[in-house]
């Protein structure tokens, strides 16, 4: 065996560092070439880093959440050399050693295939390593479908199990065949029983403060910190992410109750750590409530009758402490981009409102037909078509100012970025060549890009090459805003919510569907008058959608 170091590769053009968000392997795991071993967040993309070797993970050099410069060593592998002769006995020993190691966080202990991975069934031969090779997405799908992943035949490289293999196995009725489910139930790790866990630590709180899935016992005595029974083990197995969760929660891993074991040792999952920490916190809060039931003061001197100081999240004094949130990854990238845009391009925002009764009717007529083609039709494709018509008429809004060259580049491609709010921040996937696509094609592509952006599965390349951006703040109920230009573009259109509002026509006021528009421009390139003309041109096509047929 040879020891090989794996350095963080350049996972994106021009990227100097990335945040290691999640390890997909643990020391002792056997991996194959191209198998994802970690998730790294860089720029605006979350990417999987594949292994360059077939071998065994010897050491992880980076903690989850740590920023890692490109070129730093992140994993050390034990890799078989060309002349190595691995006997069956050696392979069996390696499999046994691997089974003794805790499973990686991306393969939860409740995985139905865990037992069969450690102890392959006689009628289902496994690779020499005793491990099923499958990406985390395939394992998640297997759990969702109730499929024992150890019984699935892999069609990928080296017998790797794909999502398609899992689905095919489930559709063929293979889930749970040959007693695999019984084996998993009898020998594999089991999910924690919330009620038994709460009994072990003395039931805490009432129905209003109970943890997820917990049921309060009205007849149980009020718990106190002294009634919380810690397991008090000398040794506990857990994956690195679970150990980090215990440190963050201030919990001793050896105190967390569990009925799961790995190779004869107690094994604890992140969920069990969370439940135990919550129960201890509830017990402390309940004791504070008991000692101050008459409105007196607790040890901190704060009134325990005050809901602000008797909150279910723990100590009264700590509840008012500020929380420090790391400024890095996607949030830092967004901040740097907004700063560059705001301090480089002088922004001016033009506001207007389109009366879109006809557009609402057209979309309602076409929505059902689009659904017949498995396409969810929103207003966005109509807006995109109207904007492209406007950009062709007013090319300065589809441009880029190149200051060093002292020129304005008028672009002939119409690639519209669609801002999507995600849990990680704002992402802007780009729909390319909008002028060459139909309404239904645009609808399908926008839906796909938005969904993958929210799941952090959109690629870096799919967020590049935009010439104009649309941001739909109306999706959360807004009307007008002053959107910041997606630099180096020169304009961005903000969409408010389409809703019924009062409109004055021919001396009368009626309720009409209106669409508020907010156009921000780079005033170095675009004049206010041109911005107004562009908006009017777009509004004309939104108010009379039949004009889009001419585009």
């Amino acid at each position: 065996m040879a020891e090989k170091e794996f350095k963080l590769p350049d996972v994106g053009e021009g990227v100097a560092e990335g945040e290691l968000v999640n390890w997909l392997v643990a020391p002792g795991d056997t991996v194959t070439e191209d198998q994802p071993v970690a998730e790294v967040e860089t720029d605006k993309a979350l990417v999987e880093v594949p292994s360059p070797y077939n071998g065994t993970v010897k050491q992880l050099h980076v903690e989850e959440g740590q920023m890692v410069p490109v070129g730093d060593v992140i994993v050390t592998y034990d890799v078989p050399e060309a002349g190595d002769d691995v006997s069956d006995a050696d392979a069996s020993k390696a499999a046994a050693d691997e089974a003794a190691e805790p499973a990686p966080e991306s393969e939860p202990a409740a995985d139905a295939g865990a037992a069969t991975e450690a102890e392959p069934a006689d009628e289902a031969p496994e690779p020499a390593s005793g491990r099923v090779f499958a990406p985390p997405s395939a394992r998640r799908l297997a759990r969702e479908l109730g499929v024992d992943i150890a019984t699935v035949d892999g069609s990928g490289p080296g017998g790797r199990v794909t999502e398609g293999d899992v689905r095919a196995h489930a559709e063929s009725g293979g889930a749970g065949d040959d007693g695999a489910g019984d084996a998993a139930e009898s020998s594999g790790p089991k999910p924690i029983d919330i009620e038994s866990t709460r009994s072990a630590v003395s039931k805490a709180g009432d129905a209003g403060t109970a943890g997820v899935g917990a049921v309060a016992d009205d007849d149980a005595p009020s718990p106190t910190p002294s009634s919380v029974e810690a397991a008090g083990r000398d040794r506990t197995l857990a994956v690195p992410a679970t150990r980090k969760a215990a440190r963050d929660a201030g919990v001793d891993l050896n105190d967390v109750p569990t009925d799961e074991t790995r190779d004869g040792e107690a094994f604890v999952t992140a969920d069990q750590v969370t439940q135990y920490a919550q129960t201890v916190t509830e017990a402390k809060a309940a004791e504070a409530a008991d000692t101050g039931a008459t409105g007196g003061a607790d040890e901190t001197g704060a009134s325990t009758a005050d809901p602000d100081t008797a909150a279910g999240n723990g100590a009264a004094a700590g509840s008012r402490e500020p929380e420090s949130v790391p400024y890095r990854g996607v949030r830092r990238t967004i901040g740097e981009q907004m700063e560059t845009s705001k301090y480089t391009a002088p922004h001016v925002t033009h506001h207007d409102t389109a009366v879109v009764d006809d557009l609402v009717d057209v979309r309602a007529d076409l929505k059902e037909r689009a659904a017949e083609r498995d396409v969810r039709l929103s207003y966005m494709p109509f807006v995109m078509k109207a904007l492209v018509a406007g950009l062709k008429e007013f090319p300065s809004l589809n441009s880029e100012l190149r200051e060093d060259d002292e020129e304005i580049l008028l672009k002939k491609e119409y690639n519209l970025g669609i801002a999507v709010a995600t849990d990680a921040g704002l992402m802007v996937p780009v729909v390319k060549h909008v002028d060459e696509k139909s309404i239904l094609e645009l609808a399908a592509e926008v839906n796909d890009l938005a969904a993958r952006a929210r799941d952090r599965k959109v690629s870096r390349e799919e967020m590049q090459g935009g010439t104009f951006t649309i941001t739909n703040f109306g999706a959360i109920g807004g009307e007008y805003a002053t959107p910041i230009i997606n630099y180096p573009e020169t304009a961005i259109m903000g969409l408010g919510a389409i809703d019924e509002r009062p409109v004055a026509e021919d001396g009368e006021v009626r309720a009409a569907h209106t669409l508020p528009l907010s156009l921000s421009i780079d005033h170095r390139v675009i004049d206010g008058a041109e911005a107004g003309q562009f908006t009017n041109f777009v509004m004309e096509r939104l108010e009379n959608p039949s004009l889009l047929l001419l585009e």
Side-chain angles (χ1 to χ4, degrees), residues 271-331:
D271 286 342
Q272 291 169 334
V273 169
T274 302
Q275 291 162 5
Y276 178 74
Q278 181 181 18
T279 308
V280 171
T281 299
E282 290 171 356
K284 292 179 180 179
E287 183 194 34
D290 286 345
T291 58
T294 59
D298 62 10
E299 294 178 357
T300 65
S303 172
T304 53
D306 183 353
D308 288 340
T309 60
N313 63 350
S319 63
R320 295 183 182 272
E321 290 296 319
E323 179 184 1
S324 177
V325 179
Y327 180 60
R328 61 192 184 203
V330 171
R331 175 49 55 194

Side-chain angles (χ1 to χ4, degrees), residues 496-508:
I498 293 181
D499 205 350
E500 282 192 328
R501 299 180 179 89
V503 172
E505 291 179 349
D506 300 326
E508 296 184 356

Side-chain angles (χ1 to χ4, degrees), residues 14 54 67 73 77-78 106 189 284 296 331 353 373 406 463 471 511 520 526 534 540 545:
N54 295 319
M67 297 300 295
V73 176
Y77 296 97
D78 281 332
S106 61
K284 292 179 180 179
R331 175 49 55 194
T353 303
R373 303 186 189 184
E406 297 184 341
M463 294 189 289
T471 178
S520 289
I526 304 163
F534 169 82
E540 184 180 17

Side-chain angles (χ1 to χ4, degrees), residues 461-483:
E461 290 73 19
E462 289 175 310
M463 294 189 289
Q464 295 176 331
T467 62
F468 186 96
T469 297
I470 307 170
T471 178
N472 181 19
F473 43 78
I476 57 175
E479 288 191 41
Y480 296 99
T482 55

Side-chain angles (χ1 to χ4, degrees), residues 385-406:
K385 279 292 188 182
L387 285 171
V388 167
L391 295 175
K392 289 181 177 179
E393 188 73 15
F394 300 90
S396 63
L397 281 91
N398 197 56
S399 65
E400 176 184 339
L401 175 60
R402 295 185 171 178
E403 297 178 78
D404 293 340
D405 299 329
E406 297 184 341

